[in-house]
Amino acid sequence: MLEGIFVPHVTPFEEDEKINRKILAELIQYFEDAGITGFVTLGSNGEFPYLSTSEKLEVLETVRNTTDRPVIAGVTENSTRETLELGRKAWDIGVDALLIAPPFYFKPRDSELFAHYSLIAGKIDAPVIIYNVPKFTGLNIGLDVIERLVHEHSNIVGIKDSSGSTGRIAELIRRVGDEIAVLAGTADVILPALMLGASGAVVAVANVAPRLCVELYNAFTEMKLERARKLQILINLLNEVLVKRLNQVSAIKEAMNMLGLAVGYPRMPSLPLGEDEVQEVEMVLIETGLL
């Protein structure tokens, strides 16, 4: 299930910030046509911190009812109790796995992180994917914590590592790569991670360039490494502008709107990009041949 390119898709909104279920369903079909392996719903790009529980379930139901491909549900909450409750509801909807990042308000200690994940994995009969995303949580989950969790819970099946560190990904693969899937979580390390033994990637720019990301993965699996190298360089440029330089959520949605995907704009307090930033997005889409 965890091999290939997964898109952590956006949540489309109407002008009044209501979820646009029609566009969401169309978006899922668009990604399927592009060859995406599966979907990460309610990830960072899905703006999950800004959605109510009922909205999260609405999004999950829409995606699950639209596709037969793997759906990984982001169920991160700031308390263990709420994460467990949302995870159970998502599992009841019929998702294929749960993606869980650390709590992101109070910074937990290693012992607290272990207890958090361990309780959830022990109380819910669903595959769990650990989500390491220091850009948003302010911490790197300790490698010792991850290794212990993997050894003690057979339903922990993967980790999405968004640290951007190939050294860390290599160490994860060395420690737990024979037991769980290791997924690259940043687009600028897709190829290096695959070469180290990662099974796939979950990357924001797949919202904008799904075919390029899929082509990169396929080029690697077919050992067309020169083609893969060129695609990685192209994807790096997109990632540098849309994810690193600008407000990620706003820039990804702006780029998708430019490409005719009509996903709307982010929910406040995020704001649409300014005029100069919009031009920057347009320029990188032209330079990478997407526009």
Side-chain angles (χ1 to χ4, degrees), residues 81-242:
R81 177 189 292 269
E82 289 184 331
T83 303
L84 184 58
E85 287 179 358
L86 181 58
R88 284 171 169 156
K89 290 174 181 177
W91 186 240
D92 287 343
I93 286 172
V95 303
D96 298 282
L98 307 177
L99 180 72
I100 305 174
F104 48 88
Y105 187 82
F106 296 114
K107 187 175 180 180
R109 298 170 295 173
D110 282 355
S111 59
E112 292 167 331
L113 271 179
F114 177 81
H116 174 72
Y117 280 105
S118 189
L119 187 144
I120 294 166
K123 284 187 173 290
I124 192 165
D125 186 25
V128 172
I129 301 168
I130 298 169
Y131 182 14
N132 184 55
V133 57
K135 174 179 177 179
F136 296 129
T137 63
L139 62 85
N140 260 321
I141 304 173
L143 294 170
D144 290 343
V145 173
I146 293 167
E147 187 172 16
R148 185 181 169 196
L149 285 167
V150 169
H151 290 164
E152 294 191 17
H153 297 280
S154 61
N155 61 325
I156 293 180
V157 299
I159 180 166
K160 177 192 175 187
D161 189 84
S162 298
S163 67
S165 167
T166 53
R168 179 182 165 91
I169 289 173
E171 184 63 4
L172 281 167
I173 291 168
R174 184 186 74 81
R175 291 195 184 201
V176 297
D178 291 337
E179 299 170 77
I180 67 170
V182 177
L183 299 164
T186 52
D188 49 1
V189 300
I190 298 174
L191 182 57
L194 291 173
M195 295 187 74
L196 287 166
S199 62
V202 182
V203 290
V205 296
N207 280 285
V208 178
R211 287 178 173 82
L212 287 182
C213 294
V214 170
E215 187 180 352
L216 168 56
Y217 178 80
N218 290 340
F220 170 78
T221 60
E222 295 165 8
M223 294 305 293
K224 298 176 181 177
L225 297 184
E226 178 59 19
R227 178 59 180 160
R229 182 187 69 83
K230 291 180 178 178
L231 287 165
Q232 180 67 75
I233 291 171
L234 202 62
I235 288 168
N236 277 17
L237 176 58
L238 274 175
N239 193 70
E240 177 65 30
V241 175
L242 300 180

Side-chain angles (χ1 to χ4, degrees), residues 9-24 26-27 45 47 207-208 247-268 270-273 278 281:
H9 63 84
V10 303
T11 301
F13 294 126
E14 299 175 8
E15 288 187 10
D16 60 2
E17 294 194 348
K18 289 182 180 178
I19 295 165
N20 192 324
R21 297 183 67 158
K22 177 177 181 293
I23 294 296
L24 178 56
E26 292 174 357
L27 195 61
N45 297 280
E47 300 176 69
N207 280 285
V208 178
N247 178 312
Q248 176 177 327
V249 173
S250 301
I252 292 291
K253 280 192 164 179
E254 183 64 53
M256 296 176 78
N257 289 331
M258 286 184 182
L259 296 173
L261 295 172
V263 296
Y265 293 97
R267 180 171 281 186
M268 289 186 69
S270 296
L271 293 173
L273 299 181
V278 169
V281 170

Side-chain angles (χ1 to χ4, degrees), residues 56-77:
K56 291 174 183 177
L57 298 177
E58 179 183 352
V59 171
L60 286 170
E61 288 171 349
T62 301
V63 175
R64 180 71 288 171
N65 291 337
T66 304
T67 184
D68 293 326
R69 298 191 188 184
V71 176
I72 300 168
V75 296
T76 301
E77 299 286 357

